[in-house]
């Protein structure tokens, strides 16, 4: 299972935004791996939902718009429901 992040350049930084996960986004500075940062952000977002008793939304198929590119981010087994 994975969620799709939309990856765009924002100035010198790279932004990963998860459209199906309100408020879940992160930036990577030049030289940082956006995939790793996106994975950390998604894990934290999912854990916060589970700890608060909320079921996270199911992953949606999202298509990139404009200059964005899609980045599939796998869900770790420890938080997959």
């Amino acid at each position: 299972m994975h969620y799709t992040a939309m990856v765009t350049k924002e100035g010198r930084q790279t932004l990963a935004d998860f459209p199906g996960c309100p408020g879940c986004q992160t930036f990577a500075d030049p030289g940082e791996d956006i995939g790793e940062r996106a994975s950390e952000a998604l894990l934290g977002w999912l854990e916060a939902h589970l700890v608060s008793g909320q079921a996270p939304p199911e992953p949606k198929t999202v298509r990139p718009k404009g200059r964005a590119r899609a980045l599939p981010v796998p869900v770790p087994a420890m938080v997959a429901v």
Side-chain angles (χ1 to χ4, degrees):
M1 171 162 75
H2 73 275
Y3 283 82
T4 302
M6 291 296 108
V7 176
T8 56
K9 290 294 282 181
E10 299 290 328
R12 295 190 59 215
Q13 295 182 314
T14 304
L15 168 68
D17 179 49
F18 292 86
C21 306
C24 185
Q25 59 183 349
T26 190
F27 284 95
D29 289 319
E32 289 184 310
D33 180 15
I34 191 61
E36 185 176 317
R37 297 295 306 262
S39 182
E40 292 170 359
L42 179 62
L43 176 60
W45 189 87
L46 291 170
E47 286 179 339
H49 273 71
L50 294 171
V51 167
S52 69
Q54 299 175 30
E58 289 190 34
K60 298 178 185 175
T61 301
V62 184
R63 296 193 178 183
K65 296 178 183 175
R67 294 182 177 216
R69 68 178 172 94
L71 174 67
V73 180
V75 175
M78 66 183 195
V79 295
V81 292

